[in-house]
Amino acid sequence: MESRGSQAKAVGQRLLQAYIPQKTGLQAVSSGQRGSVLRWFITVVLNAAFLGMGVSAAVLGPTFPDLARNVNRNVSSLSEIFVGRALGYLCGSVVGGVLFDCMNHFLLLGLSNLLTSAGLYLTPFCKTAVLLTAMMSVTGISFGVLDTGGNVLILNLWGDKGAPHMQALHFSFALGAFLAPLLAKLAWGTSASTQNHTDPGFDRSALNRSSEATSDSLFAVPEDMNLLWAYASTGTYVLVVSVFLFAPFFNQSSRQKKSTASGQEARRAKYHWALLCLLFIFFFFYVGAEVTYGSFIFSFATTHVGMEESEAAGLNSIFWGTFAACRGLAIFFATFLKPGTMIVLCNIGSLVSSFFLVLFDKSPLCLWIATSVYGASMAATFPSGIAWIEQYTSITGKSAAFILVGAALGLMATPALSGILQGHYPDLPIILYTCLGSAVFTTVLFPVMYKLATLPLDYKQKKGSNSEGQKFLLSSSELNKEAKLRWEGWGNSEDSVKNHQSRGTEREIGLLTEWPPKKPVRTKR
């Protein structure tokens, strides 16, 4: 029995050595603090990157007439650059989703920002419409990669606590889109020759003769230096952010942190791809309605309601203003409201406001009130949808790319189809019908998605309530830490039970109180 006791002691010492982590005490705390700081650093850099993406995407609007003049084209004949950027975003989402699962995340996002910066620097130098369209496609590809990778990386970093950070990420994009006109018009004043491109009697031959010297070259310095400075300043900001994105890639500890942060338990719903397909359709209608209303509300207010252009411009501003403001407020709401609750509230607000828009389509007062409510209701839907689906099934790069492809298709198809129908039926508020139909569809679709997402979870809980795997909920690292504490005598069993009451169940506490094994009892022969 004595030999058995010595063997048990030796085994216990070996177990103790196996359970001791590499860093203990203050070093472990320091490591945890370093990991938390690194996670916040990455989050802040991602928000800065999305801010730059918002500025880069929205700066095209106020500088569009100047770019048309730069390539010797009319505004109405240069709409292909929007199609080129949308197609680039679509391709970037697909490519980014595939690459995100097979290469370093920070390297991929840093390269995408470098691509955006290069596209912004070269855009003012493009002297042909084809080259300008190609450059817009390049920036669209980088937007798709950054959008896909940024959303997945936030979910990997924060897990179930990622809803506020997801809202902050998309608020940064909205804030950048809000700042872009201020940068382009107020800071650099790029609106010199807008009139020359919009007047019906514009003499193109004079412009052709003036640019005859530079017509043979693909790249040349633009005549409007304000246009150059607007894009160069935005490109410089994106370039600086790309440096910070590369920083975690060269830090060895960040790779370990990435693996631990993304090493959460993988959740896969029984109807994983069915949920992704429904969310694909959900975002198709949501993004399509958002872009359609924001793009056509100005022309609708002037032609259908009879507003002055200044009033219509204010109506357009209040839509995007409430949209950006409520995305900022959604950061705080997401700390105590579940993503599903926020989606329901957004759907109800969109449905009610679009219904009143259709019902009182000739009333300017209703148009002002309903537009502000509609913009506020649309703000938190997209980030809440991504945070919601992560609760039930894990989102990889390919899954995020699939969802964003649906959003990109809605961005391209819905405004184009609505514009064509509005042209064929000018007396009908086709734009408002589109928004109401999309609101009805998304409101009905979300309960179906919720039922499909929770059904396999309920089934597993009922069937596996007695299974040993669901009873044992503590991770192996927590058990190892507790074993170490108990072996070294840092706390008795009663203290350990108190420490684990907030983290485990009674079954887990019962398992912990059985450690360490009892010493062998000597018996007299």
Side-chain angles (χ1 to χ4, degrees), residues 267-283 385-386 388-395 399 402-403 445-457:
R267 290 166 290 192
R268 188 177 181 89
K270 183 178 181 181
Y271 303 101
H272 174 79
W273 283 107
L275 275 174
L276 292 181
C277 290
L278 290 179
L279 197 62
F280 177 98
I281 301 172
F282 183 89
F283 281 154
I386 299 178
W388 174 82
I389 194 66
E390 175 67 16
Q391 293 178 331
Y392 302 98
T393 185
S394 297
I395 298 297
S399 302
F402 180 75
I403 295 172
L445 184 61
F446 182 70
V448 178
M449 295 165 52
Y450 180 79
K451 182 63 178 178
L452 196 64
T454 55
L455 181 61
L457 295 179

Side-chain angles (χ1 to χ4, degrees), residues 206-217:
L207 185 58
N208 291 336
R209 288 191 300 268
S210 63
S211 59
E212 186 177 357
T214 60
S215 60
D216 296 334
S217 60

Side-chain angles (χ1 to χ4, degrees), residues 107 182 270 274 358 383 451 486:
L107 177 62
L182 300 179
K270 183 178 181 181
V358 172
K451 182 63 178 178
R486 297 297 305 276

Side-chain angles (χ1 to χ4, degrees), residues 65-73 122-127 188-193 196-197 202 204-215 217-230:
D66 305 281
L67 290 175
R69 178 177 178 270
N70 198 41
V71 298
N72 193 22
R73 291 284 292 272
L122 295 177
T123 294
F125 293 92
C126 296
K127 303 303 292 185
W188 302 114
T190 58
S191 60
S193 303
N196 295 338
H197 293 74
F202 172 59
R204 294 178 54 85
S205 61
L207 185 58
N208 291 336
R209 288 191 300 268
S210 63
S211 59
E212 186 177 357
T214 60
S215 60
S217 60
L218 297 178
F219 288 98
V221 178
E223 297 179 3
D224 187 1
M225 295 304 295
N226 290 332
L227 176 67
L228 175 61
W229 286 116

Side-chain angles (χ1 to χ4, degrees), residues 118-161:
L120 290 171
Y121 278 126
L122 295 177
T123 294
F125 293 92
C126 296
K127 303 303 292 185
T128 63
V130 175
L131 187 60
L132 182 61
T133 304
M135 203 60 60
M136 288 296 167
S137 300
V138 169
T139 56
I141 292 173
S142 62
F143 290 164
V145 173
L146 179 60
D147 199 6
T148 303
N151 283 286
V152 179
L153 187 55
I154 282 292
L155 294 176
N156 290 345
L157 287 173
W158 297 98
D160 293 335
K161 299 180 181 179

Side-chain angles (χ1 to χ4, degrees), residues 86-102 108 140-141 143-149 280 397-406 408-409:
L87 291 176
Y89 176 85
L90 187 65
C91 297
S93 299
V94 176
V95 174
V98 174
L99 293 179
F100 194 82
D101 292 336
C102 60
L108 178 62
I141 292 173
F143 290 164
V145 173
L146 179 60
D147 199 6
T148 303
F280 177 98
K398 297 182 181 66
S399 302
F402 180 75
I403 295 172
L404 292 177
V405 165
L409 290 177

